[in-house]
Amino acid sequence: MSTKSPTIGLLGGGQLGRMLCEAASPLDVSIAILDEANAPAKQINNNSKHVVGSFKDPAKIRELASSCDVLTVEIEHIETDVLEELESKGIQGKKVTVHPSWRTLRLIQDKYAQKEYLGQQGLPIAEQIDIVEGDGMLASMKEASQKFGFPWMLKARKGSYDGRGNFKISSTQDLDQAVKEFGRLSCYAEKWVPFELELAVMVVRTEDSNGKTKRIVPYPVVETVHEDNICSKVFMPPRNVSAAACEKAQKVACGVVEKLWGRGVFAVEMFLTKNGDVMVNEIAPRPHNSGHYTIEAVPYMSQYKAQLYAVLDEPLPEVLEPHVSSSIMINILGGANSDSHHKLVEQAKKMYSKGTSVYPHLYGKESKPSRKIGHITLTGSGSIEELEQYAQPLIQLADEIRQ
Ligand code: ATP
Ligand code: MG
Ligand code: MG
């Protein structure tokens, strides 16, 4: 890498960007960030090429691109027309590549289009129907209720995260409120999936200069736990899930990522049903909350290092195996007060024992209720059940913050 010294332009400088910068530091990879002046990633990465502004602003994206060799993202809610333009025309006579491809970003941005595409490719998804915008919304939702029965999930097609674009429709009485809250958005209806639990797999994708897939490498399967629509914990390996189900999830995830375009890491969120079926919930075209554990559990190639290697076309390992037998990630969410999470962090700092390690991460973000402001990773040399037992004081404190 040092022989080429390329500069990566990063759209978005939140916690994912910050951890990408942490991985880039020992490799001497330079990352220029487009985001607000004091964004979490900028706080730890001094670079004269940073741009202050929004990653949705085409002019700012062009400004960033003019001093970078390759662009990548830490968020999918960005402006893709300008990325398409940059890739085809370059800027100021200079070529700029975009990884993952703007085609992938554009598709994934629209959850409905994303899942339609996956369904057409023969991948397992929940049934979904488009909801009419504006005046026809209520009638359209009544049709969805007839078709799916209750409950079903109303989802905003674009811009959602941490469940903020989801509305569970449990009865006809919810429809008016749904119009009030989601009436101005473009939405779709998704059949309720009575899942047993949720799984996720991070997958690295590389391709040659003609866009032909070179390598698809999955990380281990993890179990993700969502509370109040937001990811609270991640378990590696999943608890009480058969090896066959884990293998199926990895296969589905690789099948999904194979159908996308460009290089990078991708998260595939899935539902596991009672009878062992795996269904795709959604894709994230970037490092992801469900892959934070790889920083310590797969130390030779975390999801962040893999993102750098993929984007820069550096050699990636053929397999991505953990160096520990179990790992748990606990999100630190902001609580009612700005210091509600302090007890949790203090507890994490004082936990040392043989065979188990605890790693707190804070993102340099102001605390707000339910905001992801950090996470704690635990790694263990025993079973996931033993590690969960050890993590109890942390899990309890994290639960208290949410109440
Ligand atoms: P993220 O922060 O992961 O991007 P998001 O806002 O895009 O979240 P989703 O992933 O669509 O939201 O949904 C959030 C959670 O809501 C899921 O992880 C799952 O727990 C629940 N959920 C979503 N869709 C369904 C469904 N069809 N049936 C049942 N539960 C669902
Ligand atoms: Mg999402
Ligand atoms: Mg999700």
Side-chain angles (χ1 to χ4, degrees):
M1 264 175 213
S2 51
T3 49
K4 289 189 244 165
S5 328
T7 299
I8 297 177
L10 177 64
L11 304 188
Q15 65 263 27
L16 301 175
R18 181 168 165 126
M19 288 182 268
L20 193 72
C21 291
E22 285 167 9
S25 168
L27 301 168
D28 214 8
V29 170
S30 159
I31 301 189
I33 298 159
L34 168 56
D35 207 333
E36 291 169 3
N38 198 35
K42 286 186 179 176
Q43 293 169 18
I44 65 152
N45 174 23
N46 186 14
N47 193 314
S48 59
K49 295 174 181 172
H50 286 331
V51 176
V52 177
S54 165
F55 41 75
K56 294 182 179 169
D57 180 346
K60 293 289 179 181
I61 296 176
R62 283 191 202 98
E63 187 185 336
L64 180 76
S66 66
S67 61
C68 297
D69 306 283
V70 52
L71 293 183
T72 192
V73 299
E74 64 130 38
I75 182 162
E76 54 277 22
H77 308 304
I78 38 122
E79 168 55 48
T80 57
D81 288 353
V82 65
L83 296 182
E84 181 179 2
E85 166 204 301
L86 285 166
E87 185 142 285
S88 60
K89 298 191 193 141
I91 190 161
Q92 295 163 7
K94 187 172 69 82
K95 203 173 156 335
V96 182
T97 50
V98 181
H99 284 293
S101 163
W102 54 267
R103 278 182 84 187
T104 297
L105 298 168
R106 189 174 295 164
L107 178 74
I108 286 178
Q109 251 173 22
D110 182 333
K111 276 188 179 177
Y112 179 75
Q114 176 197 140
K115 304 263 263 296
E116 283 296 290
Y117 174 73
L118 295 179
Q120 285 154 13
Q121 301 299 319
L123 290 152
I125 52 154
E127 258 185 89
Q128 56 177 20
I129 37 180
D130 198 9
I131 293 288
V132 175
E133 272 180 70
D135 290 344
M137 186 179 185
L138 191 61
S140 182
M141 286 199 297
K142 283 182 181 159
E143 266 176 50
S145 306
Q146 287 234 305
K147 182 152 192 236
F148 292 154
F150 296 112
W152 56 272
M153 193 73 106
L154 179 72
K155 292 194 178 186
R157 288 171 68 138
K158 288 191 172 178
S160 53
Y161 67 98
D162 293 344
R164 282 163 215 240
N166 290 356
F167 194 118
K168 182 180 176 182
I169 308 287
S170 300
S171 72
T172 322
Q173 273 122 56
D174 289 337
L175 296 179
D176 285 338
Q177 189 60 28
V179 172
K180 254 190 218 149
E181 286 184 30
F182 283 60
R184 290 214 195 102
L185 305 172
S186 176
C187 296
Y188 74 100
E190 203 172 280
K191 194 167 175 173
W192 191 258
V193 182
F195 58 80
E196 187 81 350
L197 47 82
E198 294 182 80
L199 300 174
V201 179
M202 294 302 308
V203 181
V204 190
R205 181 183 198 279
T206 59
E207 60 178 26
D208 63 21
S209 50
N210 300 317
K212 199 166 157 279
T213 310
K214 226 165 44 179
R215 196 174 277 180
I216 303 280
V217 192
Y219 281 94
V221 184
V222 298
E223 173 190 351
T224 58
V225 177
H226 291 79
E227 287 163 289
D228 308 323
N229 266 303
I230 189 166
C231 175
S232 58
K233 294 181 271 292
V234 169
F235 294 86
M236 189 287 303
R239 297 163 300 171
N240 302 313
V241 174
S242 69
C246 287
E247 221 171 275
K248 199 189 275 182
Q250 260 188 334
K251 248 197 188 144
V252 168
C254 289
V256 166
V257 173
E258 186 139 26
K259 300 293 180 194
L260 302 176
W261 309 273
R263 304 194 299 259
V265 298
F266 299 83
V268 182
E269 297 180 7
M270 289 163 282
F271 300 125
L272 178 67
T273 65
K274 265 200 185 76
N275 44 17
D277 289 333
V278 169
M279 290 167 102
V280 179
N281 173 29
E282 63 163 345
I283 314 165
R286 50 169 170 79
H288 188 252
N289 201 173
S290 66
H292 290 349
Y293 79 99
T294 60
I295 296 173
E296 288 90 6
V298 194
Y300 61 97
M301 189 54 71
S302 73
Q303 64 165 347
Y304 298 100
K305 189 170 166 188
Q307 175 73 357
L308 297 171
Y309 271 45
V311 165
L312 298 173
D313 208 14
E314 295 287 341
L316 280 149
E318 279 174 35
V319 286
L320 289 162
E321 283 169 342
H323 277 184
V324 293
S325 51
S326 53
S327 180
I328 296 175
M329 191 279 324
I330 300 167
N331 269 334
I332 303 174
L333 303 178
N337 305 312
S338 60
D339 63 353
S340 299
H341 60 286
H342 287 185
K343 251 164 84 180
L344 171 60
V345 177
E346 290 313 309
Q347 176 65 30
K349 283 197 221 159
K350 64 187 183 210
M351 285 172 73
Y352 294 101
S353 79
K354 196 162 180 265
T356 311
S357 304
V358 181
Y359 305 92
H361 294 250
L362 287 165
Y363 305 150
K365 286 163 78 172
E366 190 196 336
S367 174
K368 289 187 189 155
S370 298
R371 190 180 203 199
K372 288 175 181 165
I373 53 174
H375 75 268
I376 298 162
T377 297
L378 294 97
T379 60
S381 51
S383 69
I384 188 68
E385 289 76 19
E386 283 167 326
L387 191 61
E388 188 180 5
Q389 194 57 39
Y390 182 75
Q392 273 317 306
L394 298 172
I395 291 174
Q396 271 164 25
L397 286 167
D399 285 345
E400 279 169 27
I401 296 173
R402 271 203 322 276
Q403 271 145 30

